[in-house]
Amino acid sequence: MPSLSYVAAVNRALRDEMARDERVCVLGEDVSQGITGLTKGLAAVYGTDRVVDMPLSEQAFTSLATGAAIAGQRPVVEFQIPSLLYLVFEQIANQAHKFSLMTGGQAAVPVTYLFPGSGSRSGMAGQHSDHPYSLLAHVGIKTAVPSTPSDAYGLLLSAIREPDPVAVFAPTLLMGASEEIDDDDLEAVPLGSARVCREGTDVTVVAVGHLVPVALQVAEGMAGEASVEVIDPRTVYPVDWETLGKSITRTGRLVVIDDSNRMCGFGAEIVATAVEEFGLTVPPVRLSRPDGAVIPYALNLDHALLPDGRGLAGAIRAVLR
Amino acid sequence: MRLIREFEEHCLEKALAGTIVGGIHPYIGQEAVAVGVSACLRADDVITSTHRGHGHVLAKGADPARALAELYGASTGLNRGRGGSMHAADVSLGIYGANGIVGAGAPIAVGAAWAARRAGRDDRVAVAFFGDGALSQGVVLEAFNMAALWSLPVLFVCENNGYATSLPVDRGLAGDPVTRAAGFGLTAEAVDGMDVEAVAEAAGRAVDACRAGAGPHFLECATYRFHGHHTVEHLMGTKYRDDDEVAGAWSRDPLTRQRDRLTPEAAAEVDTEIAVLIAEAEAFASSSPGSDPGDALDYLYAGLVPARPGA
Ligand SMILES: Cc1ncc(C[n+]2csc(CCOP(=O)(O)OP(=O)(O)O)c2C)c(N)n1
Ligand SMILES: [Mg+2]
């Protein structure tokens, strides 16, 4: 079976959507050169008027995409660093997101925001190591954090086809990942559909992005000890509450592992809803970055602040006790 | 300039070896800008720098040994191993930091100048270094406006190395930098940024005028980066400059040009002195300890935050 890398899957989704729909265009810094890998080769096929290198003006080009989307285009905007989200928060949260309601439904804003290299980049320090998807979930932007190449393909397809703004985060630690998959098996993955990655009966682990393979490995390693169900929500907004609810109600135990800061992070939302709605039998545990985390440069300090498999194994044992 | 060049060559080697994690944005080729401008500054002046910041930080007087230790993640580093290449700072020397966000330093420099005025010390100058790409950032233009509006002693130094990553300046920038800056009311001029004496001469005039209360200045320094945008660039399969162009730039190497102005003895003396400094820096950095992972959140807040339950 052919092997598909995460980066190639995103690239493939962009190619396929550009071929299918001529309104789809790609805007961003160095996109014609494909510096992040995601847009490599697109300019040669679709031209530099559809794959457009932007000046270093993120705020303007984010809202340029909003204007173009209202006027009928389907822009995909790539940001070189996830923390550029902080620059363009106004343009996404206050403009693109609000346009539909504020105009009484006159206009939709079908823009896709791509954030490659999200999360720690091991040695890129404070301003290049954030993984800020929880912020967009909080605002209510539809937001995907695909954990496999085929999900990256399928979720990006859905993102581009969605009539609303959608953000897609590609975690740094997955960008080198690959998967054996037939081209014919690549398909759109609906936003808001979780995947049960591994079935189990004792405890539900909800893991996001690069922590999904970590959770699967931990679950396998603990197979003799406990039957661990692993769920990948795939989109952090909207959340597939039905799939999560079924699992958590059945196991009665929940651990969430999520690479957000703890305060008001995605993990907090899952835990809160589970407590309110899903009849937990023991208190849930969430693993995250600490409150207010700023990732230090030195590698050992960087790693010390990130949720990991060892912590997850401990948390699973704690809820089983 | 020799110090910066040798420091950067050493870093290239150590980034390749993995001693420096995260790679660096090498300053090689642009040394004349940092050195020419910093030669006109006093210890109590302030600078803000960029992702390509080693040159500015060293030229403003940071200890090369502690700068290297920072890149090794050591607790003896300028930022105690917390900042690395893109955040190297020594606030006690007026170095308000390299910066990972393009254009971010410009308004910080304006703030430093504004504070100096409030403190009755507006003979202090703040210099904002940034690249050609940063001229497309809204905050940089907003900073121009405020500096001009309040006639603050700020020198904006635009290092035009022809590219923002892979984007040639003529595909990123409408008009030219000097005209743009002049449009905001800055006193603006362009200079050969690969000639350290030309930079020092122009910067000297600008800094003196800033100190004398003549308002903000802008210097466009035409320069070139001899290496890739970042040390991992070769992995990205990009091609945006042809080899002749890069070779042509080497023929204007600011170090060679300055060397030709020195006697061979004087040049050799500089080389020896710098070789010793680099060897000492390496010895210091490589023997410095790291930090305890339990201290990863040290310095997060200057004030107190109550612990949360369970933590
Ligand atoms: C606001 C922002 N946008 C994008 C980036 C990613 N990035 C880092 S350096 C760079 C190019 C900067 O070009 P220029 O200002 O000319 O400086 P140079 O690299 O040439 O020294 C880009 C796009 C960033 N760090 N910050
Ligand atoms: Mg540049």
Side-chain angles (χ1 to χ4, degrees):
Chain A
M1 220 182 277
S3 165
L4 181 70
S5 78
Y6 197 97
V7 169
V10 172
N11 186 268
R12 173 76 186 274
L14 292 171
R15 278 171 200 269
D16 288 356
E17 284 304 282
M18 292 184 87
R20 191 187 61 81
D21 182 348
E22 63 162 29
R23 299 170 302 170
V24 177
C25 48
V26 175
L27 316 178
E29 287 153 7
D30 309 291
V31 289
S32 73
Q33 290 279 333
I35 275 195
T36 64
L38 305 191
T39 64
K40 188 129 280 186
L42 296 180
V45 181
Y46 296 107
T48 48
D49 53 348
R50 271 182 88 188
V51 182
V52 194
D53 286 334
M54 289 286 136
L56 274 60
S57 305
E58 291 83 6
Q59 296 183 315
F61 70 66
T62 302
S63 271
L64 181 150
T66 300
I70 295 169
Q73 300 292 312
R74 295 247 160 185
V76 177
V77 184
E78 188 197 53
F79 298 96
Q80 270 179 11
I81 330 167
S83 53
L84 296 180
L85 173 60
Y86 307 142
L87 261 83
V88 301
F89 214 66
E90 201 285 322
Q91 287 73 16
I92 295 178
N94 213 27
Q95 303 289 339
H97 176 57
K98 294 184 177 173
F99 224 86
S100 179
L101 184 140
M102 290 192 309
T103 59
Q106 295 177 64
V109 183
V111 181
T112 303
Y113 308 113
L114 268 179
F115 294 95
S118 198
S120 164
R121 294 181 177 184
S122 296
M124 296 290 269
Q127 290 173 342
H128 283 65
S129 303
D130 288 356
H131 204 353
Y133 52 83
S134 286
L135 286 176
L136 289 181
H138 182 73
V139 165
I141 301 291
K142 299 174 182 177
T143 299
V145 192
S147 70
T148 66
S150 52
D151 278 355
Y153 177 88
L155 289 163
L156 181 52
L157 235 58
S158 297
I160 295 171
R161 295 174 188 177
E162 188 74 6
D164 295 313
V166 183
V168 179
F169 286 82
T172 308
L173 288 168
L174 290 175
M175 288 188 59
S178 55
E179 184 184 348
E180 307 294 305
I181 182 153
D182 257 332
D183 281 4
D184 295 345
D185 294 337
L186 287 172
E187 56 186 8
V189 173
L191 305 175
S193 68
R195 182 159 51 95
V196 179
C197 306
R198 182 182 194 279
E199 292 185 354
T201 51
D202 295 335
V203 53
T204 301
V205 170
V206 175
V208 179
H210 64 282
L211 294 167
V212 174
V214 171
L216 285 170
Q217 204 184 357
V218 168
E220 287 305 322
M222 296 179 74
E225 242 176 285
S227 168
V228 180
E229 180 141 307
V230 176
I231 299 186
D232 173 3
R234 300 202 282 199
T235 50
V236 293
Y237 192 85
V239 176
D240 180 353
W241 292 118
E242 194 182 324
T243 302
L244 263 63
K246 264 192 203 140
S247 171
I248 298 165
T249 305
R250 186 162 38 77
T251 61
R253 297 185 182 88
L254 171 66
V255 176
V256 187
I257 181 162
D258 146 51
D259 195 18
S260 302
N261 289 1
R262 196 168 189 79
M263 176 67 76
C264 301
F266 177 71
E269 178 59 37
I270 300 300
V271 161
T273 305
V275 169
E276 287 171 340
E277 308 289 343
F278 300 147
L280 291 172
T281 54
V282 296
V285 175
R286 80 191 127 121
L287 295 123
S288 64
R289 297 184 182 192
D291 288 346
V294 176
I295 302 298
Y297 168 70
L299 266 192
N300 66 329
L301 305 183
D302 171 320
H303 294 161
L305 298 182
L306 307 176
D308 61 11
R310 228 172 49 148
L312 178 60
I316 292 171
R317 290 195 180 100
V319 296
L320 287 171
R321 221 176 282 131
Chain B
M1 286 200 290
R2 176 61 63 195
L3 171 64
I4 298 171
R5 176 68 55 91
E6 296 306 320
F7 186 89
E8 292 294 71
E9 294 285 358
H10 191 75
C11 289
L12 288 179
E13 197 183 296
K14 295 298 176 182
L16 199 65
T19 315
I20 294 176
V21 296
I24 67 160
H25 297 89
Y27 193 65
I28 293 172
Q30 303 184 201
E31 295 90 341
V33 180
V35 172
V37 172
S38 300
C40 310
L41 299 180
R42 299 193 315 223
D44 62 348
D45 292 330
V46 166
I47 67 162
T48 62
S49 170
T50 68
H51 54 286
R52 200 176 303 291
H54 302 176
H56 310 130
V57 170
L58 290 172
K60 186 66 173 54
D63 175 1
R66 290 186 58 219
L68 191 63
E70 183 59 31
L71 300 176
Y72 289 10
S75 60
T76 56
L78 292 174
N79 309 32
R80 303 182 170 101
R82 269 64 176 182
S85 173
M86 276 192 288
H87 308 296
D90 189 333
V91 174
S92 71
L93 298 173
I95 303 165
Y96 285 15
N99 206 307
I101 299 301
V102 170
I108 295 175
V110 174
W114 183 78
R117 167 164 304 167
R118 268 183 58 79
R121 288 291 317 277
D122 60 359
D123 60 321
R124 270 190 193 168
V125 173
V127 178
F129 290 99
F130 49 83
D132 46 284
L135 284 174
S136 296
Q137 286 291 336
V139 285
V140 173
L141 308 181
E142 293 167 27
F144 287 177
N145 181 52
M146 287 189 275
L149 198 57
W150 302 319
S151 197
L152 292 168
V154 182
L155 172 59
F156 296 99
V157 178
C158 176
E159 297 188 51
N160 185 350
N161 61 10
Y163 296 86
T165 315
S166 74
L167 185 71
V169 67
D170 60 3
R171 291 209 290 119
L173 196 71
D176 79 282
V178 166
T179 312
R180 181 176 295 199
F184 280 90
L186 309 182
T187 307
E189 70 172 296
V191 68
D192 178 355
M194 296 177 85
D195 178 347
V196 70
E197 296 196 354
V199 174
E201 200 268 323
R205 272 186 282 115
V207 167
D208 289 348
C210 282
R211 281 199 215 292
H217 283 60
F218 177 92
L219 203 56
E220 178 195 2
C221 300
T223 183
Y224 203 83
R225 74 171 147 70
F226 291 171
H227 285 258
H229 170 70
H230 182 269
T231 43
V232 300
E233 182 174 284
H234 64 283
L235 301 176
M236 293 170 175
T238 51
K239 185 76 190 162
Y240 53 88
R241 325 190 279 192
D242 59 45
D243 300 341
D244 289 350
E245 181 183 304
V246 181
W250 273 105
S251 74
R252 291 180 286 128
D253 184 351
L255 272 82
T256 312
R257 283 165 78 178
Q258 194 58 16
R259 193 180 191 92
D260 290 346
R261 293 177 178 140
L262 304 179
T263 63
E265 297 73 36
E269 209 172 296
V270 172
D271 291 348
T272 312
E273 186 194 329
I274 298 306
V276 170
L277 274 178
I278 298 291
E280 285 171 358
E282 171 60 23
F284 176 77
S286 59
S287 64
S288 288
S291 301
D292 187 309
D295 300 336
L297 282 181
D298 280 6
Y299 319 112
L300 176 59
Y301 298 105
L304 295 175
V305 176
R308 62 154 67 231

